[in-house]
Amino acid sequence: MKIAILDDYQNVALSLADWSSLGSDVSITVFKRNLSSEDEAAAELAQFDVLVLMRERMAMPASLIARLPALKLIVVTGGRTRTIDMDAATTRGITICHTHPGESPMATPEFAFGLILSVARSIPQEHARVRDGGWQETIGMSIGDKTLGLVGLGKLGSRMVPIAKAFGMKVIAWSQNLTDEHAESLGARRVDKDTLFREADIVSLHLILSERSKGIVGAADLALMKPGAALINTSRGGLVDEAALIEALTEGRIRAGLDVYNEEPLPEDHPLRDVPNAVTTPHLGYVTEGAYAAFYRDAVEDIAAWRAGAPVRVLAAPKA
């Protein structure tokens, strides 16, 4: 059996789980880089029986699945995925299993606050300045008594509230189905979308990307933000009109902390690498040792159970 572990940028997958338990007749190939095109993926992955995907870094559309004749099992790390064509896979006889999320539901909100503090106090810029032999040049903003606007108050967004309260922040929230009662039960005040963008000193996005939420933050929303207010995105790049965001940052109207992008890895010549007023990180929100250990331990268990004829944590399976 041939297994491919995809997008293991840190080259840690083999050290975080007991892959040898799968047996001596198993060969494992680790891809430390992203396979950036469908043609490249089809050529590299055609021989593999099992693919282990790191979250949604590698899309599996029907067109790619059709070019992988040996594929029988896909394991996706985390609790869900929206980048695999489930119908195409199961029609081909492929089973899709997932893993537990590990500590990622805690890690991402923590990282969002890392971005908030980095933007508010220019931490990356001042760090670079000290390393270059310079000294302080910026004036920071305390986040105590400021207003945090949460776009999305679900599993991850709700975890932002107690952290914000610990800093002394006021919390307002909006999403399409949010009620006053639910927001109040979590310690936030529900407002309409325009009010959130108008009043918040920091706007943090915590929505799942779907057809309904794609581009939900547009030019008009960004235009409502206070001068110098910050947009934090640790969810998905597609939630934001990228061109409008680049324009707002280039003009210096707002600031941003960005961990996600429309295209990942971010191309070397992408304008978001050079915009002012932004802290940019390479999709690190859920990337912790604890989360990865849970992902890969479960992946080994998924493969072993599937091979024994009793698959676990099944997202989709071929029809009998």
Side-chain angles (χ1 to χ4, degrees), residues 64-143:
L64 176 56
I65 291 170
R67 301 170 69 180
L68 303 177
L71 186 58
K72 303 176 187 68
L73 173 68
I74 298 172
V75 176
V76 59
T77 56
R80 61 171 174 251
T81 182
R82 286 172 169 75
T83 55
I84 300 173
D85 190 319
M86 301 289 187
D87 290 337
T90 55
T91 298
R92 268 275 318 280
I94 299 166
T95 300
I96 300 105
C97 297
H98 70 93
T99 74
H100 290 108
E103 63 188 24
S104 52
M106 296 177 287
T108 301
E110 291 169 2
F111 192 80
F113 262 91
L115 286 177
I116 289 170
L117 293 172
S118 293
V119 171
R121 303 299 297 271
S122 301
I123 294 172
Q125 296 91 331
E126 295 291 13
H127 166 76
R129 194 164 288 118
V130 170
R131 287 295 180 93
D132 290 340
W135 203 238
Q136 59 171 287
E137 291 185 11
T138 62
I139 298 178
M141 176 187 80
S142 170
I143 64 173

Side-chain angles (χ1 to χ4, degrees), residues 149-164:
L150 297 173
V151 178
L153 201 58
K155 182 170 62 176
L156 299 186
S158 63
R159 290 182 180 272
M160 297 286 289
V161 180
I163 306 174

Side-chain angles (χ1 to χ4, degrees), residues 151 174 176 193 197 205 207-222 231 233 235-245 262:
V151 178
W174 172 85
Q176 290 161 316
K193 187 183 180 188
F197 278 88
L205 308 184
L207 294 174
I208 293 170
L209 182 62
S210 65
E211 286 304 314
R212 187 171 71 158
S213 64
K214 186 177 181 180
I216 200 165
V217 178
D221 304 303
L222 299 175
L231 179 75
N233 191 1
S235 293
R236 290 293 183 270
L239 296 172
V240 184
D241 180 331
E242 188 177 83
L245 176 61
N262 283 353

